[in-house]
Amino acid sequence: MTSGTTPGRTAERTLSVPGIVYGGDYNPEQWPEETWAEDMRLMREAGVTMVSVGIFSWALMEPAEGTYDFTRMDRILDLLHENGIAADLATPTAAPPAWFFRAHPEALPVDRDGRTLTYGSRQTFCPSSPVYREAALRVTGALAERYAAHPAVVMWHVHNEYGCHNAACYCDTSARSFRRWLRERYDDDLAALNHAWGTTFWSQWYYDWEEVLPPRATGAVPNPTHQLDWRRFCSDELLSLYTAERDVLRAAAPSTPATTNFMVMDVFDALDYWRWAPELDIVSNDHYLMSADPASEIDVALCGDLTRSLAGGPWLLMEHSTGAVNWQPVNRAKAPGEMRRNALAHVAHGADGIAYFQWRAAKTGAEQWHSAMLPHAGTDSRIWQDVVRLGADLEALAEVRGSTGTAEVAIVWDWNARWALELPSQPSADLRYKDLVRAWYEPLWRSGVAVDFVRPDADLTAYRLVLAPSLYLVDETGAANLAGHVERGGTLAIGFHSGAVDENCHIRLGGYPGAFRDTLGIRSDELFPLLPGESAGLTGRVPPGATATLWSERVRLNGAEAVAAYTDGPLAGVPAVTRNSRGQGTAWYVATLPDPDTLSALLDRIRTEAGVADAGDVPPGVESVRRRGRDADYVFLIDHAGRGAEIPVPPNATELLTGKPLSGSVRIDPGEIAVVREPHATNR
């Protein structure tokens, strides 16, 4: 696995396991020791090369404060090494033991209603608790001292899923930490905070730092900037726990890479991973499908591309599910072939390793109905057959490791904009950041167009086309950067309600869309969000019968041309989609949410004008993704539609999963996958 190009990483701390890594969470402490030998035999049969161990073992490693018992972990690591399986050794700090909370009840988290939560699950601690931090660093130090030189340990797994259950704590300790964070952010200037938060509204002015509290439950709508700064603080507070543990591990083993598992997935938005990613030697992600999503393969692709973009290159899938999970209202099992398609789609979108929660399905505990690599039914099961087949697939794809994605299209993604958009008291409560981004991402995915995700202030010189489906909040630097992309000859398309507020959630006066009025050559003076179930017709250079939902606004042209307009409602005849020539480039504004076919046609036109080609002769329902290596490109062709296909390929290509040479085309059976190696011209 390469380190990527994200600042802060070093080439010295890379994962030493060869090929595409394969494995999962291994929790042998949940089973009798006589089971472990069978685990080793079956792991070898499945092609497992690395497992994560010790994630929830604090109570067993430290049975009493300052007293350690590593005898079980010694045997586990020795057994793994004897069997040629590497260990991603975790610090156990996501689940403090009961004795810790008996001794330190002040470390328990408090919710926004003031209720103290108790222990008995996981992540039941206050992130700002000094006694928790001290205990976590103590056990991390003991672990590092004992295993820094163990030959099985190839990576440190710090904590587990930071913020999954305790992204925020509202206790008095957290309040003090929040005030410290605010004093640093505002240079110890309380007047600057009052200005940023707009505290003249509703008599919220603060005269003393001690008056500032977390945004606890209150009688009406809380201050939006207060809430936004709280989200920023909570992300940073958890990040400080990660870096503190990581630094302890680095001191003991300077060349061993460290990671923690992100949750770039539909239901999690607590952490600003743009700030986190540079602190990881290897970016890892957990991804689970939502049973209610009829096209979950799109979410796999989107989250994979976002994780690859965070990593600046290849990354590691730390957790996925072989079948059903246990935490949704209805936990759907995966259809035949779906697990394999999911896994190889992650590899297509940059993963250099595939791992699952967990190795052996639990017999007891809160996750006993979560699927695993070795299911309750044992080896006489479809899941086990799929696990073994996937191990062989990943072995065949070993040379893909280290190759990268190539994209001419970037989508702007910003956690601050997401948090701000979804605060209360918006013009519409139906605005969902991830849904808006996915609506724009999906047509590109269906066309086989590669996408990177970028921050608003990222270097955009590599991209012909930049899309900002939803950028409600943007600071001056980000706004100027996007405008500069157009001035320099690029194409920019911006979605509605973007540029409306600055980094402090202050509305930019003078008309919407605020920061982007001049670049777009338009001005809106009033917003008309649409009610649930309400739609408006569209006419102009859009498909016949085009409609739009969710949003509309009164757009006035100020240099731009109208591409589409509303046919009915209060804004009949008003532009809904505009195009503006600016500098050497072009800027588009989409002031509504067109129906999927219309949005797809519109984005096809925008990218075609920008000079971005699609995947070519690939039929609908087949995902096409390209990774670029030093000597060859690797094209992943995944049939999600279940119809099969015959797809043209260059001469001298090879299908890697079978090892068969190809002569002009590759045949994909229904629901199957092909990975085509296309040698670079100089290597043919």
Side-chain angles (χ1 to χ4, degrees):
M1 181 174 298
T2 60
S3 297
T5 57
T6 304
R9 306 224 179 89
T10 68
E12 289 74 31
R13 287 189 290 270
T14 56
L15 191 58
S16 59
V17 182
I20 304 295
V21 179
Y22 188 39
D25 284 20
Y26 182 40
N27 299 292
E29 67 274 8
Q30 299 175 9
W31 299 92
E33 191 161 346
E34 54 265 27
T35 308
W36 299 359
E38 181 186 45
D39 288 334
M40 297 300 106
R41 177 178 63 82
L42 292 177
M43 284 182 190
R44 292 197 306 270
E45 181 180 332
V48 166
T49 58
M50 185 180 77
V51 292
S52 299
V53 291
I55 293 175
F56 297 115
S57 297
W58 194 343
L60 301 178
M61 287 182 179
E62 190 179 7
E65 186 165 352
T67 300
Y68 300 103
D69 181 359
F70 291 118
T71 55
R72 182 183 289 100
M73 185 57 69
D74 289 346
R75 295 196 298 275
I76 292 167
L77 291 176
D78 289 347
L79 190 61
L80 289 170
H81 184 60
E82 290 165 10
N83 284 273
I85 299 167
D88 167 36
L89 180 57
T91 64
T93 54
W99 62 255
F100 171 78
F101 290 112
R102 285 191 65 198
H104 303 289
E106 71 276 17
L108 289 166
V110 174
D111 70 14
R112 68 189 306 268
D113 293 315
R115 297 176 303 169
T116 299
L117 306 181
T118 191
Y119 57 90
S121 59
R122 63 178 184 175
Q123 291 186 330
T124 49
F125 62 87
C126 165
S128 298
S129 167
V131 292
Y132 166 78
R133 182 182 290 251
E134 179 184 353
L137 295 182
R138 186 176 65 238
V139 71
T140 296
L143 192 78
E145 180 181 2
R146 190 170 189 89
Y147 298 117
H150 196 287
V153 177
V154 298
M155 183 165 66
W156 300 114
H157 183 308
V158 182
H159 197 81
N160 185 72
E161 295 183 335
Y162 274 101
C164 184
H165 303 287
N166 65 339
C169 172
Y170 296 81
C171 71
D172 289 341
T173 300
S174 297
R176 288 191 290 272
S177 294
F178 184 39
R179 286 191 287 268
R180 284 196 296 271
W181 183 91
L182 290 169
R183 294 181 83 142
E184 182 177 349
R185 177 175 179 82
Y186 293 105
D187 296 324
D188 207 24
D189 185 349
L190 192 54
L193 178 140
N194 278 303
H195 171 74
W197 288 15
T199 56
T200 52
F201 189 81
W202 278 0
S203 190
Q204 293 173 346
W205 191 271
Y206 297 105
Y207 289 95
D208 192 291
W209 285 102
E210 294 301 310
E211 296 166 1
V212 181
L213 299 173
R216 296 166 176 162
T218 187
V221 179
N223 182 307
T225 317
H226 184 180
Q227 294 176 86
L228 180 59
D229 270 350
W230 174 250
R231 298 294 298 265
R232 292 163 170 158
F233 158 75
C234 291
S235 177
D236 284 356
E237 192 77 339
L238 286 165
L239 177 57
S240 74
L241 291 178
Y242 166 78
T243 55
E245 288 191 31
R246 180 209 61 195
D247 289 349
V248 169
L249 298 167
R250 277 187 181 172
S255 62
T256 302
T259 190
T260 190
N261 38 344
F262 288 175
M263 288 184 289
V264 178
M265 52 185 289
D266 186 69
V267 295
F268 187 78
D269 72 341
L271 306 180
D272 181 353
Y273 287 135
W274 288 123
R275 289 177 63 82
W276 281 65
E279 303 294 344
L280 277 63
D281 297 314
I282 296 170
V283 168
S284 303
N285 190 51
D286 293 354
H287 185 272
Y288 291 101
L289 307 185
M290 300 303 295
S291 295
D293 186 350
S296 57
E297 62 270 18
I298 300 172
D299 196 63
V300 169
L302 189 158
C303 294
D305 282 342
L306 179 52
T307 307
R308 175 180 48 76
S309 301
L310 289 164
W315 53 280
L316 179 68
L317 180 68
M318 186 68 76
E319 288 185 27
H320 197 52
S321 66
T322 58
V325 297
N326 68 299
W327 45 268
Q328 297 179 38
V330 176
N331 295 290
R332 184 185 69 84
K334 292 188 177 181
E338 187 176 6
M339 176 194 136
R340 184 169 180 255
R341 290 191 296 273
N342 290 163
L344 296 186
H346 282 297
V347 176
H349 291 275
D352 272 0
I354 299 294
Y356 291 92
F357 180 83
Q358 57 180 322
W359 163 249
R360 184 182 284 268
K363 187 168 66 172
T364 63
E367 295 182 292
Q368 67 192 102
W369 288 111
H370 195 293
S371 62
M373 299 175 77
L374 182 60
H376 293 140
T379 56
D380 185 16
S381 61
R382 192 195 76 197
I383 282 182
W384 176 251
Q385 293 168 3
D386 290 345
V387 163
V388 173
R389 184 186 184 190
L390 179 59
D393 287 338
L394 297 177
E395 184 177 4
L397 297 178
E399 68 176 87
V400 173
R401 173 172 166 160
S403 58
T404 61
T406 58
E408 296 178 306
V409 179
I411 293 179
V412 179
W413 179 287
D414 185 63
W415 272 273
N416 283 267
R418 181 177 186 175
W419 295 335
L421 181 74
E422 297 178 3
L423 291 172
S425 293
Q426 281 283 352
S428 172
D430 294 330
L431 302 180
R432 294 288 180 270
Y433 184 87
K434 173 78 178 295
D435 293 345
L436 295 172
V437 173
R438 176 164 162 169
W440 286 45
Y441 176 88
E442 181 173 343
L444 300 170
W445 176 85
R446 293 193 183 279
S447 298
V449 176
V451 169
D452 288 341
F453 286 89
V454 295
R455 299 167 54 125
D457 59 353
D459 181 357
L460 303 176
T461 53
Y463 305 106
R464 293 176 181 268
L465 172 61
V466 175
L467 306 176
S470 181
L471 197 58
Y472 170 67
L473 177 150
V474 64
D475 63 16
E476 293 298 330
T477 300
N481 188 49
L482 293 170
H485 176 70
V486 178
E487 297 282 353
R488 292 186 297 271
T491 300
L492 172 69
I494 291 179
F496 62 82
H497 207 34
S498 292
V501 301
D502 66 13
E503 67 274 17
N504 293 320
C505 271
H506 293 195
I507 291 175
R508 288 186 164 89
L509 303 179
Y512 320 113
F516 302 117
R517 288 193 306 264
D518 292 342
T519 298
L520 296 170
I522 58 102
R523 178 176 177 272
S524 298
D525 66 353
E526 194 169 8
L527 309 177
F528 285 80
L530 301 177
L531 297 172
E534 185 180 8
S535 65
L538 296 177
T539 187
R541 282 171 281 176
V542 291
T547 60
T549 58
L550 191 63
W551 190 269
S552 65
E553 57 188 74
R554 186 159 46 222
V555 171
R556 301 177 183 178
L557 301 179
N558 189 21
E561 61 173 311
V563 174
Y566 303 105
T567 62
D568 51 20
L571 299 181
V574 171
V577 179
T578 64
R579 180 183 183 279
N580 187 46
S581 296
R582 178 84 175 181
Q584 301 177 60
T586 306
W588 295 73
Y589 186 52
V590 185
T592 188
L593 181 62
D595 66 77
D597 288 343
T598 301
L599 182 57
S600 180
L602 179 63
L603 290 172
D604 279 351
R605 177 185 169 186
I606 292 171
R607 69 167 176 79
T608 300
E609 284 193 14
V612 177
D614 60 21
D617 296 326
V618 178
V622 176
E623 180 178 8
S624 175
V625 188
R626 182 179 297 268
R627 289 183 63 163
R628 176 151 294 171
R630 185 182 62 183
D631 299 319
D633 282 6
Y634 305 96
V635 181
F636 288 71
L637 300 165
I638 306 171
D639 178 26
H640 296 289
R643 294 189 290 265
E646 186 87 19
I647 298 174
V649 300
N652 301 322
T654 304
E655 203 290 304
L656 286 183
L657 296 174
T658 61
K660 293 180 179 178
L662 302 171
S663 55
S665 69
V666 62
R667 174 67 192 174
I668 306 173
D669 291 332
E672 290 294 328
I673 302 120
V675 182
V676 178
R677 183 185 193 271
E678 298 180 356
H680 294 162
T682 56
N683 298 308
R684 291 176 183 168

